[in-house]
Amino acid sequence: MDALLKFCEGPLFRLAFVILIAGLLRQAVLIFVPGFIAWRRARDRTIPWGRLGRDLGMWMFPVAHVVRSRQIFSVISYLFHFGLILVPLFYSGHTALWAAGTGITIPTISDGIADILSLITIGGVFLLLLSRMIHPLVRRFVKFEDYFVLVLILIPFISGYAAGRPWNPLSYEAMRLVHVLSGNILLIAIPFTKLSHCIFFPFSRLCAELGSKLALDVNYEYRAP
Amino acid sequence: MNAATEYWPRLLKPVEDDSLERFVEAMGKVLRDSNYGLPLSVYAQTCTGCMRCSQQCQVFQQSEDLKDTPHYRTEQIIRLYREFFLPSFRGISLKRSSLDEWKEAQADFNLKELIESLYRCTLCRRCTEECPMGIDHRLVARFGRQVLSEMGLVPQNMGGSTVEQIFGIGNTSAFPEAAIIDTLDFLEEDIYDTYGMHCTIPRNRANAEYLILSPVSDYMMEAETLMGIAMVMHSIGCDWTVSTEYCDAINYGLFYDDRVMVTVLDKIVAEAKRLNVKQVIIGECGHATRTAIGYWKSSLNSKGLVVKSILEVTAEAIEKGLIKPDRTKNTSKIVLHDPCNIVRGCGIYKPQREILESCAMGFVEMQPNGRYNYCCGGGGGIVIAEDLHDFRVEVIGKVKADQIVASGAEIVCAPCANCKKMLRELVDHYKIPAEVVGIHDLMAKALAVEKPEGVQPEESSEAA
């Protein structure tokens, strides 16, 4: 058990992390190269950076947007992302592993805050699952992948939260193994599923802008239908 | 899917059984000749299905037909794109099925429904404002319509008007040049009779500073707006002109085909070059403003020519004190409708408000307004399709009618010819006691002067 845990936290984690970074880089290249080509062939090469940045900023801090539609869902999903991003990066157990493995020290959040954030994220996953099942409009279009990614997120969060608790049904090591393994799977899955919106999100507006540009190398002369 | 399925714009050609093959083939051609592939490839992996877009769609809010959701449209197009065009290194799956295999596996895919859905969208872009991921559903809808146009499937009204504009007389209403000259003569007299201003409308004057291009409907149904614009330009005292040879700013290309859009823009630029003007001013028209301002540089000869909206010009003149409208001439309660293409499309939000503040007393806002405003109901070419009248009035425009009633205004003001036509239909249908006008109609009243006693109107010396 101990050796297996060491393997999962060491080499397997490194592999998962490399796949994550390489996968995200690949996605970035797949935006930037076609994006650059689209920009090169555009008749109008001006890009409204100000408007794009403003729109992006308004969705990063969507105070005005959240209240406009699907209020409960919006608040839940917004809070859910806090825990999802902050806990894996800044929880003291994780930063200690980073320090041990690479020598890089990262600021940590207190365990109490990490617990609260984790609970919010776990609760958020359940509520998002519920919303996908019961919302009259969402459930008509929901796909297997939408549930799948939520479960992928749920397992490492629950196992991580449960590992050190007295009510943990498994042993600490076993739960920790579940946590590390599922965490590694989640990292690997990010670039290949809709979770890759973490890298697409800042660029989708730019892509829409470039996509609406007309091409220089095309003759647009209209012939009657 | 409910009974609303009966609404279907008449297309120039019927949709045949082998259409999916032709649709996919046309998709390939459009993707090669445009940049649409980039956003589609990103959207294929971005949408999380939160449905905020659909909840904000005014067509869906009223019709409750799943086909009307922006998500449905985007999803169906992306399904085809992902299967047949997404570069294989993009996704995980490397397998690509043939069209027949795909049709069998995806039995729920219905091209006819997709086509109908594409033409039930008003292209208002409200859904895009709502998308946390920034997915531009209007872009996808325009892509779909472009593919249909490539197949030859074009709504009759738009296709016919465009042919008249590009290959025929030179405007979408087939209004001959002699009639335009007559109208301008009549308008000059009417301005004097109604507003007491000796205002000449210069025609085809070479080397002028400004060329005013209004939608052709301003020469027919919305003459008050053109009169207001003439009075503003005259009062500013600038060197301006209208063209009688090519006078139409309408550009339906934005709604269904980029080639039409560029061809019409090229015509506008050619006319500006022929008259050697410095600036082109687009009159009160939503999609004309959007195409001209948003795609001006896409017309390759446009270098050195400035394009502006008349709203910006008038607001600037008011700010500089070049014209002094009299607010007290418009005392009714006026509500402003924000055309989607002007506010969301071009980001022109303040000028129309500055104009209204300066020329009217009782200006109130619609709720919601600005970039979150609802479409009048006739966007995306729906207003010119006669067979969609019931659909646009009873379904799409319902929320707009409610907004007008809630504002309690006696006058609804919209700086867009399409919106005005649609709003009039709404006011008639729902029996709302309100009048529909353009912004410059009010400006004309506010600029009216006392008619000097005993002076007869002079004949225009500027006639071409």
Side-chain angles (χ1 to χ4, degrees):
Chain A
M1 179 68 93
D2 214 34
L4 191 58
L5 196 56
K6 275 229 156 58
F7 171 74
C8 290
E9 282 177 2
L12 194 61
F13 170 74
R14 279 188 209 116
L15 179 70
F17 192 74
V18 166
I19 292 175
L20 167 72
I21 298 297
L24 289 183
L25 276 177
R26 165 180 167 275
Q27 297 286 24
V29 168
L30 288 178
I31 296 176
F32 286 121
V33 172
F36 184 70
I37 293 169
W39 179 76
R40 278 287 300 274
R41 84 190 285 223
R43 289 182 166 212
D44 174 8
R45 291 190 185 163
T46 47
I47 291 173
W49 293 110
R51 180 169 60 76
L52 295 176
R54 226 174 13 253
D55 281 1
L56 183 63
M58 276 171 77
W59 279 107
M60 298 282 263
F61 306 97
V63 182
H65 284 296
V66 158
V67 295
R68 288 172 40 74
S69 77
R70 297 210 63 196
Q71 293 83 352
I72 300 169
F73 162 82
S74 302
V75 172
I76 291 168
S77 87
Y78 194 61
L79 293 175
F80 154 84
H81 280 87
F82 270 106
L84 189 60
I85 295 166
L86 294 179
V87 175
L89 287 177
F90 301 117
Y91 169 60
S92 60
H94 297 156
T95 53
L97 279 173
W98 268 110
T102 62
I104 302 167
T105 46
I106 301 173
T108 56
I109 50 177
S110 77
D111 289 3
I113 291 177
D115 279 352
I116 293 167
L117 285 174
S118 304
L119 280 178
I120 289 175
T121 300
I122 292 167
V125 170
F126 279 112
L127 289 170
L128 291 180
L129 277 171
L130 196 68
S131 121
R132 286 186 176 165
M133 281 184 253
I134 62 169
H135 190 280
L137 196 50
V138 174
R139 69 186 190 149
R140 297 295 292 269
F141 288 104
V142 75
K143 287 195 240 140
F144 171 73
E145 190 186 345
D146 297 329
Y147 291 121
F148 178 66
V149 294
L150 282 178
V151 175
L152 272 184
I153 292 166
L154 188 62
I155 298 170
F157 267 84
I158 286 199
S159 55
Y161 186 79
R165 313 282 153 182
W167 45 263
N168 177 7
L170 305 175
S171 71
Y172 173 74
E173 278 76 23
M175 197 52 109
R176 185 161 166 176
L177 189 65
V178 171
H179 175 68
V180 176
L181 265 177
S182 58
N184 286 342
I185 292 170
L186 177 61
L187 291 185
I188 295 170
I190 286 174
F192 301 105
T193 55
K194 279 185 178 175
L195 296 173
S196 59
H197 72 251
C198 67
I199 188 113
F200 286 134
F201 170 66
F203 304 111
S204 58
R205 287 171 181 81
L206 179 62
C207 290
E209 189 65 37
L210 289 169
S212 67
K213 303 261 183 227
L214 302 178
L216 198 55
D217 55 333
V218 176
N219 179 15
Y220 281 98
E221 199 189 329
Y222 183 65
R223 293 175 302 277
Chain B
M1 310 281 164
N2 65 17
T5 334
E6 70 204 55
Y7 296 110
W8 172 264
R10 272 175 299 174
L11 300 174
L12 282 176
K13 281 184 191 172
V15 183
E16 289 143 17
D17 285 341
D18 65 339
S19 294
L20 187 58
E21 281 83 348
R22 284 170 50 224
F23 191 87
V24 171
E25 197 186 311
M27 237 176 128
K29 184 161 186 315
V30 173
L31 285 169
R32 267 196 309 281
D33 284 354
S34 70
N35 285 335
Y36 288 119
L38 174 70
L40 289 182
S41 71
V42 172
Y43 298 166
Q45 297 170 74
T46 317
C47 174
T48 55
C50 71
M51 292 292 159
R52 288 179 68 111
C53 54
S54 308
Q55 296 228 318
Q56 289 295 327
C57 175
Q58 73 192 76
V59 186
F60 175 71
Q61 280 173 0
Q62 298 299 327
S63 76
E64 296 190 346
D65 184 338
L66 290 178
K67 282 201 308 297
D68 288 333
T69 57
H71 183 85
Y72 167 84
R73 230 172 349 253
T74 305
E75 175 105 349
Q76 300 301 310
I77 298 239
I78 282 177
R79 246 167 102 179
L80 288 173
Y81 177 78
R82 194 199 299 264
E83 189 60 37
F84 300 108
F85 301 104
L86 189 69
S88 51
F89 52 84
R90 259 291 196 181
I92 313 170
S93 158
L94 296 173
K95 189 186 140 285
R96 189 153 292 192
S97 46
S98 76
L99 199 61
D100 289 332
E101 281 169 8
W102 190 83
K103 263 203 234 169
E104 217 159 281
Q106 310 277 338
D108 63 323
F109 184 87
N110 185 335
L111 184 67
K112 285 193 182 183
E113 277 186 3
L114 173 62
I115 296 174
E116 176 159 355
S117 160
L118 285 169
Y119 272 107
R120 283 159 66 104
C121 171
T122 65
L123 302 182
C124 76
R125 214 167 159 275
R126 228 174 107 80
C127 45
T128 303
E129 296 291 338
E130 275 310 309
C131 182
M133 300 294 167
I135 292 176
D136 193 341
H137 296 281
R138 182 177 77 162
L139 191 78
V140 181
R142 274 185 59 206
F143 168 72
R145 290 178 174 202
Q146 172 88 54
V147 173
L148 293 179
S149 176
E150 186 70 42
M151 293 164 71
L153 299 175
V154 175
Q156 278 183 351
N157 306 61
M158 273 199 277
S161 309
T162 310
V163 167
E164 198 56 63
Q165 185 180 21
I166 295 177
F167 305 108
I169 272 172
N171 58 63
T172 46
S173 299
F175 206 44
E177 192 180 351
I180 288 170
I181 295 171
D182 275 356
T183 307
L184 291 174
D185 289 341
F186 172 75
L187 289 185
E188 284 176 352
E189 284 170 29
D190 207 18
I191 291 173
Y192 181 76
D193 290 344
T194 319
Y195 303 115
M197 188 184 273
H198 268 304
C199 172
T200 51
I201 303 178
R203 297 136 208 206
N204 303 317
R205 180 192 283 170
N207 306 320
E209 175 85 16
Y210 301 104
L211 168 66
I212 304 273
L213 274 174
S214 283
V216 73
S217 53
D218 278 12
Y219 290 86
M220 302 151 70
M221 289 94 79
E222 322 276 1
E224 294 275 320
T225 308
L226 197 58
M227 283 156 69
I229 292 174
M231 287 169 72
V232 167
M233 298 312 279
H234 181 81
S235 310
I236 294 174
C238 63
D239 187 11
W240 68 290
T241 184
V242 297
S243 167
T244 56
E245 269 183 42
Y246 185 82
C247 65
D248 196 1
I250 286 179
N251 193 343
Y252 291 135
L254 182 70
F255 300 150
Y256 74 99
D257 196 326
D258 289 345
R259 291 169 303 180
V260 174
M261 184 165 78
V262 176
T263 310
V264 173
L265 272 180
D266 285 346
K267 277 180 92 88
I268 292 175
V269 170
E271 186 63 18
K273 293 271 170 182
R274 183 180 75 84
L275 294 172
N276 196 25
V277 296
K278 295 192 182 66
Q279 299 193 19
V280 177
I281 311 291
I282 305 293
E284 289 191 14
C285 180
H287 67 271
T289 310
R290 165 84 181 126
T291 43
I293 292 180
Y295 292 91
W296 193 242
K297 286 183 183 165
S298 300
S299 176
L300 295 174
N301 295 324
S302 65
K303 220 170 174 199
L305 264 176
V306 178
V307 66
K308 272 187 193 165
S309 160
I310 185 71
L311 300 173
E312 294 171 302
V313 175
T314 307
E316 203 184 308
I318 292 169
E319 202 181 331
K320 283 184 182 162
L322 296 175
I323 48 175
K324 293 191 176 55
D326 182 359
R327 293 183 75 193
T328 54
K329 298 265 174 67
N330 291 306
T331 48
S332 318
K333 195 171 181 189
I334 296 166
V335 69
L336 174 68
H337 161 71
D338 278 316
C340 311
N341 277 313
I342 289 183
V343 176
R344 272 190 288 269
C346 302
I348 298 174
Y349 175 77
K350 279 191 185 142
Q352 58 267 49
R353 285 166 172 76
E354 284 166 12
I355 297 171
L356 276 182
E357 287 291 350
S358 73
C359 74
M361 308 274 282
F363 164 51
V364 291
E365 291 278 9
M366 238 174 224
Q367 293 305 333
N369 60 57
R371 66 192 291 187
Y372 303 118
N373 195 18
Y374 284 104
C375 169
C376 59
I382 288 178
V383 75
I384 51 168
E386 275 121 41
D387 34 352
L388 291 181
H389 175 273
D390 294 349
F391 178 54
R392 65 173 175 258
V393 169
E394 282 161 19
V395 180
I396 318 181
K398 175 91 173 45
V399 62
K400 182 51 70 181
D402 293 345
Q403 272 186 304
I404 296 170
V405 172
S407 73
E410 298 149 84
I411 294 180
V412 187
C413 172
C416 169
N418 271 6
C419 294
K420 277 185 282 187
K421 180 169 185 282
M422 179 67 206
L423 291 171
R424 254 177 224 133
E425 286 179 6
L426 285 178
V427 165
D428 286 347
H429 181 85
Y430 292 99
K431 302 197 168 43
I432 303 168
E435 188 192 352
V436 179
V437 299
I439 286 192
H440 282 82
D441 304 28
L442 301 171
M443 203 65 199
K445 280 185 195 149
L447 286 175
V449 288
E450 286 296 316
K451 219 188 288 188
E453 295 274 325
V455 182
Q456 290 302 310
E458 289 167 29
E459 280 301 308
S460 163
S461 56
E462 301 288 342

